[in-house]
Amino acid sequence: MSLLKEKLKAPPLPLSVVARPRLNDYFTLNDRVRLLLIQAPSGYGKTALLAERLPALEQEAAWLRLDQRDNQPARFLTYWRAALHKLLDDTYVLSPMADNTDCIEQLERWLGELPEQRSPCRFVVDEFEHLTHPDILAGVAHWLRHQPPWLTLTLASRSRPALGLASLRLRGELEEIDLHGLAFDSEEAHTLCAEQLSFPPTRVSLERALRKSGGWILALNWLVERTTTRAGFDALVERLSGAHPDFVAWFDELLAAALPSEERELMLQLGVLERFSPELMARLLEGERLTQRLEAFEQAGLFIERPDPHAQWFRFQRLFGEYLRHRRHELNLSTQRRLHQRASQAWLALNDPVMALRQAILAEEQEDVASLLTAQGPALLASGAYALLAQGFALLGEPKLSKSPEHTLLYGWVSHGQFQFDVTARVIGWIEAQLDEPEWQALNAEFATLRAQLAINHGNAERAAPLAEQALAVPARYLASTPLTATAILSEARFVQGYLEESLQRVREVERQARQVGDHQRLLWSFCHQSEALVAQGRLQAAYDIQERAFAHLERAELEHLPVAEFLYRIRSQVLWEWHRLDEAEQAALKGIAVLDNQGERWTLQCHIQLAKVAQSRGDQAQCADHIRRLRKILSEGDYHIDWVANAHATLLAWWQSTHDMDAVERWRQEAPEPIAEHATNHFSQCNVRNHARALTLLGRYEEARELLDALEAHTQRLGLVTDANRNQLCLAAVAWHQGQVVQASHHMHQALGLASRTALVGSFLRLGKPLGELLSTLLASNTLAPLEQARAERLLTLAIRQKDFGSARRLMLDETVIANIVARPDVPELIRTSPLTRREWQILGLIHAGLSNEQIAEQLSVAPTTIKTHIRSLYQKQNIRRRDEAIALAGQLLAHIQGE
């Protein structure tokens, strides 16, 4: 039999393969591990991982790449022997295959002919799922039990091979990489885009693509291969779904090849569930051997995951689950509704009201939904299931809701939680019209609390406080959290009025009571509110420490899904940005967006503000522009608390300042909330007035700006708003600097440095721009600073210089238009045109020219050093470069075109 040599070699790698060093721990060669199993459905990069990692780790390996015809013992053994010979020197020749011998006997003979000692190596068998013949599987299992310690069998397979894995696992002789390990993480997806795309997708879109795809490499490649612009990428991410025609066709082919028709119907029935267990299947479905059939699905590699390997719960990979729900129309409508009804009842029996309500809504059973909302509404509200509750209310309709005091109350809280304050006001109108009715009077405490909450969100602390006190004076009948909520509103009212110490005392009482009754959502809120009050007092380190307690509770109680978790991530990002810990600030904001991914984009406004601030602090104009566009879109679609609005406007003003768009600044002044300095008793009112002062400064109306800032300072002194005082002094310094009053500007900067000894602000200083460097240099030369102030001024000056220089370079390197113009020039090397560099390679070329080492470039770009080496190798190959000095020379020539030299 002639052998195909291609089947005995590692497959060729694409030019832009993504290095995956985070999986190195799975590739340790030792005497203990007999088998490395890489098992996942198609498209997870099993083969590419082995072909990339083994050379990178300098591990010797023989390859055998199987196909369907190899599921015959004689053919299989012939190829097995040929692959083994790749690991042996000329002194070892395996005996020819005997006639009519079984696999176990033949493999045992070859085992006896292998050397006892040899340097460690691997025997890689790819596409092992093609082997189902019982004699072959028995032979390989026998081989595993007796193979020499220098050899590690390494299998890549879509299905789980029947090789006695359980015993290998219990003895510690098995390493496994499943689809969770193979799924791309954020850094790997970022590298993929840098290799394949000429533009950088926003981190928000990239993280969303990862969540929607589950890190499935096939889906991520589908994204990058079909987009040529950032806007196109964003639009395709929105359409990324298992119901997209491309994926429907792909999954159709997969199931047609893998399952008979009756098993396909069972799969479609399971598709109504987001997660399932054998117990739930028994409650939901009719049929025999359900557990065994489920195990067969899992073993066949049909995109079924175990979120917890120690539990009996399963779920479909996200895109595959969406595909199954899309294909539900193959079941008749009555069957679908019956399945949803039974699923709702099953989830209720398993004490999961969220899943019970979701299935009842899908069944479109209004009576079931209404009774679930009444009975389970308080628990669902406490769990933060606002979007799901809103779906239930939409099914019932407002006329029906307005007749039930319980439904009206829940609807009011849900609309408030989704920032639909006009709907909340309409609900309160229903309440006030029926409050004389006995059944409505019974919920008087709950209704007063809802009215107080809307008042505080409109900034009316004077109305909110007495309503909250009224709520505390009568017992709650329906929502057990009412007294805690009312106490929290009182705390927030005192915060709005500027009485920070009293607010802190009240919120600590909320924390104590929340612990007593086990109200996790209110407990997390109390931590967040304490953090905000401490930040207002200039105690950022104390605020950070409170956040640490909150994160510990979040992890311990597994509450990462609650909307209040976004509040925590957001305020963490704000503190980290002020401390100029930009990578951590970005990650916190991205996590906040991930928490609310299914709730709607409008919830994520504050996190998008943070991402824009981070991008601007890095000097990344392209990314910042995308974040600005997104947050302006979100702002236009909702009615938000002044806190959110003022924060967003501060970021917009900083953006317009950097782009010299004074027309936008003037338009903003005409439309922005009025600056009422006499009411600026809290950080968001202070921010709104300070925004107007900054706008006036940009427009050259310095005296008007100074008047507003002086009025703010009266409140900061009286109420102890230390952080606002620090930011106001920076704005006063900018006003004086623009007026040419250097002495006065230096005085305000000196005041700001003194306050920063308490607040530790950095981000607000760096936002000042050009005046900062000149004023700091003047102060440092004057020798008038205290030692702590001098150290802070020196650090700020270093950061300001570094930020400016790198920011300018990075913007140039990332500007696709500029790069296109360079490539089009006749005096640019021909290789630049015929072998174009990726955006990441342009970046790295510029950083090489700047004199950075590989490790420094990796740190600058927040990627692994091995990734940088891969990029440099590709860059050198494309441009026929052999040494670093040649790269520096090429970079100098190209950068001269960029800089016009």
Side-chain angles (χ1 to χ4, degrees):
M1 181 179 114
S2 60
L3 301 180
L4 295 174
K5 294 180 180 179
E6 287 297 310
K7 290 166 64 71
L8 299 172
K9 296 191 299 186
L13 281 174
L15 288 176
S16 55
V17 66
V18 176
R20 312 198 68 188
R22 69 174 174 84
L23 297 175
N24 283 355
D25 288 348
Y26 292 101
F27 285 87
T28 303
L29 284 171
N30 58 40
D31 295 346
R32 177 181 59 83
V33 176
R34 293 180 176 274
L35 173 64
L36 168 62
L37 173 63
I38 304 173
Q39 191 234 322
S42 178
Y44 272 93
K46 301 180 290 295
T47 303
L49 171 69
L50 287 167
E52 182 271 323
R53 274 296 88 194
L54 296 186
L57 295 170
E58 299 181 348
Q59 292 186 358
E60 185 183 357
W63 278 73
L64 172 55
R65 295 156 61 193
L66 301 171
D67 58 41
Q68 290 178 334
R69 296 183 303 161
D70 297 320
N71 196 32
Q72 304 167 26
R75 181 180 174 87
F76 164 75
L77 289 170
T78 301
Y79 272 107
W80 186 277
R81 177 176 182 271
L84 277 178
H85 270 139
K86 300 281 185 179
L87 298 175
L88 305 176
D89 58 36
D90 294 339
T91 60
Y92 290 93
V93 178
L94 299 178
S95 60
M97 191 172 67
D99 294 332
N100 300 320
T101 185
D102 65 16
C103 283
I104 292 179
E105 183 177 343
Q106 182 61 67
L107 290 172
E108 186 170 283
R109 181 180 300 118
W110 289 337
L111 280 166
E113 295 170 0
L114 294 177
E116 290 186 16
Q117 292 186 339
R118 187 199 185 282
S119 58
C121 61
R122 292 187 181 277
F123 185 3
V124 177
V125 184
D126 193 16
E127 298 192 53
F128 196 83
E129 68 272 4
H130 292 303
L131 300 183
T132 59
H133 196 292
D135 290 351
I136 296 176
L137 293 175
V140 176
H142 185 73
W143 175 279
L144 268 172
R145 286 193 293 272
H146 301 288
Q147 73 180 5
W150 49 263
L151 183 63
T152 301
L153 188 60
T154 302
L155 307 182
S157 178
R158 296 182 189 178
S159 61
R160 187 185 305 154
L163 297 175
L165 299 182
S167 59
L168 288 170
R169 189 179 296 115
L170 289 173
R171 292 197 300 267
E173 298 173 349
L174 173 67
E175 283 282 7
E176 297 174 271
I177 307 177
D178 62 9
L179 78 171
H180 294 292
L182 288 169
F184 266 9
D185 65 11
S186 181
E187 181 182 314
E188 289 161 344
H190 188 72
T191 302
L192 174 70
C193 291
E195 290 280 358
Q196 300 286 345
L197 299 175
S198 60
F199 59 90
T202 64
R203 287 298 301 273
V204 175
S205 290
L206 192 55
E207 294 288 336
R208 187 138 196 259
L210 276 170
R211 287 193 298 275
K212 293 184 75 170
S213 67
W216 186 24
I217 300 170
L218 182 71
L220 293 171
N221 275 315
W222 176 82
L223 275 172
V224 300
E225 288 170 3
R226 282 161 178 76
T227 51
T228 56
T229 65
R230 189 177 295 107
F233 186 90
D234 292 348
L236 198 57
V237 169
E238 288 299 316
R239 293 194 291 271
L240 176 57
S241 163
H244 189 285
D246 289 357
F247 290 103
V248 169
W250 194 90
F251 285 129
D252 279 346
E253 292 179 3
L254 175 76
L255 288 188
L259 294 178
S261 59
E262 64 273 13
E263 297 303 279
R264 176 184 166 86
E265 182 173 355
L266 175 61
M267 184 74 79
L268 290 175
Q269 291 176 335
L270 279 176
V272 307
L273 301 170
E274 293 186 18
R275 53 191 174 92
F276 47 92
S277 66
E279 179 186 356
L280 186 62
M281 288 177 64
R283 290 176 180 270
L284 176 66
L285 304 174
E286 297 175 356
E288 298 179 352
R289 301 177 55 254
L290 291 175
T291 301
Q292 292 89 337
R293 291 161 75 185
L294 173 61
E295 290 173 352
F297 290 160
E298 185 190 19
Q299 187 164 339
L302 289 176
F303 292 87
I304 294 177
E305 309 172 358
R306 284 189 191 229
D308 181 353
H310 308 295
Q312 286 296 315
W313 282 95
F314 302 84
R315 70 183 178 200
F316 293 113
Q317 194 269 359
R318 180 164 175 170
L319 291 176
F320 187 62
E322 291 169 351
Y323 159 79
L324 291 176
R325 287 190 286 277
H326 169 75
R327 279 296 188 204
R328 267 186 323 204
H329 65 263
E330 295 181 18
L331 304 171
N332 64 58
L333 191 59
S334 62
T335 298
Q336 290 181 51
R337 286 184 171 171
R338 185 175 68 254
L339 283 170
H340 287 308
Q341 280 184 294
R342 294 176 69 173
S344 178
Q345 294 161 3
W347 281 118
L348 202 55
L350 293 172
N351 196 31
D352 192 327
V354 170
M355 297 301 297
L357 178 59
R358 183 166 288 141
Q359 291 294 330
I361 291 169
L362 289 169
E364 299 181 346
E365 289 291 335
Q366 286 197 3
E367 292 305 316
D368 290 350
V369 170
S371 62
L372 271 170
L373 287 171
T374 302
Q376 303 295 332
L380 291 164
L381 199 64
S383 70
Y386 298 129
L388 179 63
L389 285 165
Q391 292 174 27
F393 293 136
L395 182 66
L396 297 183
E398 285 194 353
K400 190 169 184 177
L401 292 176
S402 63
K403 296 175 182 177
S404 164
E406 291 83 6
H407 291 170
T408 296
L409 177 66
L410 293 169
Y411 187 43
W413 279 114
V414 168
S415 62
H416 171 269
Q418 295 186 313
F419 311 116
Q420 298 170 340
F421 299 141
D422 56 335
V423 177
T424 312
R426 186 163 69 247
V427 169
I428 288 174
W430 304 344
I431 293 167
E432 292 174 345
Q434 303 177 79
L435 203 51
D436 291 337
E437 299 294 328
E439 60 180 347
W440 290 74
Q441 283 185 347
L443 302 187
N444 194 36
E446 285 90 336
F447 290 145
T449 306
L450 177 61
R451 293 155 75 194
Q453 185 66 70
L454 185 61
I456 201 71
N457 275 88
H458 284 152
N460 192 343
E462 287 71 20
R463 173 170 169 75
L467 283 168
E469 289 168 348
Q470 176 187 334
L472 289 170
V474 293
R477 307 287 187 186
Y478 183 58
L479 291 183
S481 61
T482 296
L484 262 180
T485 305
T487 305
I489 292 169
L490 280 174
S491 166
E492 203 166 348
R494 302 310 279 164
F495 178 83
V496 169
Q497 293 166 334
Y499 303 116
L500 299 180
E501 280 302 326
E502 183 181 342
S503 177
L504 278 169
Q505 290 174 11
R506 288 183 180 274
V507 80
R508 285 167 185 150
E509 177 61 20
V510 173
E511 178 191 346
R512 186 187 66 79
Q513 292 182 25
R515 286 188 187 279
Q516 283 184 341
V517 300
D519 188 333
H520 298 299
Q521 191 161 219
R522 193 56 60 186
L523 179 59
L524 282 174
W525 177 89
S526 74
F527 286 135
C528 293
H529 186 73
Q530 287 179 68
S531 174
E532 286 204 307
L534 291 166
V535 167
Q537 290 181 329
R539 299 159 62 188
L540 271 69
Q541 183 60 55
Y544 183 90
D545 294 341
I546 284 284
Q547 292 169 15
E548 286 292 277
R549 290 171 57 196
F551 278 115
H553 182 73
L554 193 76
E555 182 177 350
R556 186 167 57 249
E558 299 181 348
L559 305 173
E560 291 87 350
H561 64 286
L562 288 182
V564 73
E566 181 273 339
F567 188 4
L568 179 58
Y569 283 119
R570 175 214 318 162
I571 59 176
R572 169 54 63 90
S573 179
Q574 290 168 353
V575 170
L576 291 169
W577 178 81
E578 274 295 5
W579 290 347
H580 202 63
R581 289 160 60 174
L582 300 180
D583 289 347
E584 295 169 81
E586 180 184 55
Q587 284 302 313
L590 289 169
K591 287 179 180 178
I593 290 172
V595 169
L596 301 178
D597 196 34
N598 297 322
Q599 302 283 348
E601 192 175 51
R602 61 185 310 183
W603 286 50
T604 62
L605 175 63
Q606 289 270 52
C607 290
H608 283 290
I609 293 168
Q610 285 304 115
L611 292 173
K613 287 161 66 176
V614 168
Q616 190 169 41
S617 296
R618 288 173 171 162
D620 192 336
Q621 191 173 25
Q623 289 279 355
C624 188
D626 279 329
H627 294 312
I628 291 293
R629 278 193 291 271
R630 195 180 294 255
L631 76 87
R632 293 185 72 179
K633 172 180 174 289
I634 298 171
L635 267 179
S636 68
E637 295 174 349
D639 177 20
Y640 299 98
H641 187 274
I642 184 62
D643 184 7
W644 291 35
V645 172
N647 199 7
H649 288 174
T651 303
L652 289 173
L653 285 166
W655 168 253
W656 292 325
Q657 180 180 1
S658 68
T659 57
H660 309 290
D661 191 348
M662 296 304 110
D663 290 338
V665 175
E666 183 57 55
R667 287 195 301 271
W668 173 85
R669 281 196 67 250
Q670 307 304 318
E671 302 168 1
E674 186 180 352
I676 307 175
E678 57 267 28
H679 294 162
T681 56
N682 49 67
H683 72 273
F684 42 87
S685 297
Q686 286 262 328
C687 182
N688 181 53
V689 178
R690 191 162 52 245
N691 286 342
H692 280 270
R694 291 173 63 200
L696 290 166
T697 303
L698 292 173
L699 296 170
R701 295 161 63 174
Y702 304 122
E703 288 305 321
E704 294 174 70
R706 186 191 302 279
E707 288 176 11
L708 285 177
L709 292 167
D710 287 341
L712 287 184
E713 280 299 86
H715 290 299
T716 62
Q717 298 299 321
R718 179 172 62 87
L719 298 170
L721 300 172
V722 177
T723 297
D724 282 299
N726 205 162
R727 291 169 177 155
N728 292 341
Q729 288 297 324
L730 288 169
C731 288
L732 284 164
V735 171
W737 184 86
H738 281 292
Q739 289 182 297
Q741 299 173 357
V742 178
V743 174
Q744 189 65 22
S746 298
H747 168 74
H748 287 301
M749 182 56 67
H750 195 166
Q751 293 286 103
L753 286 171
L755 288 165
S757 298
R758 298 168 62 185
T759 64
L761 300 189
V762 175
S764 291
F765 276 84
L766 294 176
R767 207 178 222 182
L768 206 58
K770 184 179 179 181
L772 179 64
E774 294 188 13
L775 291 173
L776 290 175
S777 298
T778 300
L779 282 173
L780 287 168
S782 70
N783 293 320
T784 59
L785 298 177
L788 187 59
E789 294 169 352
Q790 178 159 337
R792 184 171 300 280
E794 289 171 350
R795 177 173 181 250
L796 285 168
L797 186 59
T798 301
L799 287 173
I801 293 170
R802 185 190 307 165
Q803 185 185 42
K804 177 183 176 183
D805 289 348
F806 181 70
S808 300
R810 191 160 188 178
R811 280 196 294 272
L812 286 167
M813 296 301 284
L814 290 180
D815 190 326
E816 294 91 347
T817 304
V818 172
I819 294 173
N821 289 337
I822 296 167
V823 173
R825 290 174 63 102
D827 53 346
V828 164
E830 183 64 24
L831 276 175
I832 286 287
R833 283 191 287 270
T834 57
S835 301
L837 303 180
T838 66
R839 177 186 60 83
R840 179 65 88 190
E841 289 164 354
W842 277 97
Q843 277 186 319
I844 290 172
L845 189 61
L847 294 172
I848 288 173
H849 180 261
L852 275 66
S853 67
N854 287 1
E855 291 72 19
Q856 289 171 321
I857 295 172
E859 182 180 355
Q860 191 74 67
L861 299 180
S862 301
V863 298
T866 52
T867 301
I868 296 301
K869 290 179 182 177
T870 302
H871 286 302
I872 291 175
R873 185 165 59 245
S874 172
L875 191 160
Y876 282 15
Q877 288 174 349
K878 288 180 179 180
Q879 300 306 313
N880 195 25
I881 293 171
R882 291 170 297 173
R883 299 188 306 276
R884 203 174 189 90
D885 57 350
E886 295 177 22
I888 292 171
L890 173 63
Q893 179 184 350
L894 297 174
L895 290 175
H897 297 312
I898 293 177
Q899 296 159 357
E901 294 174 2

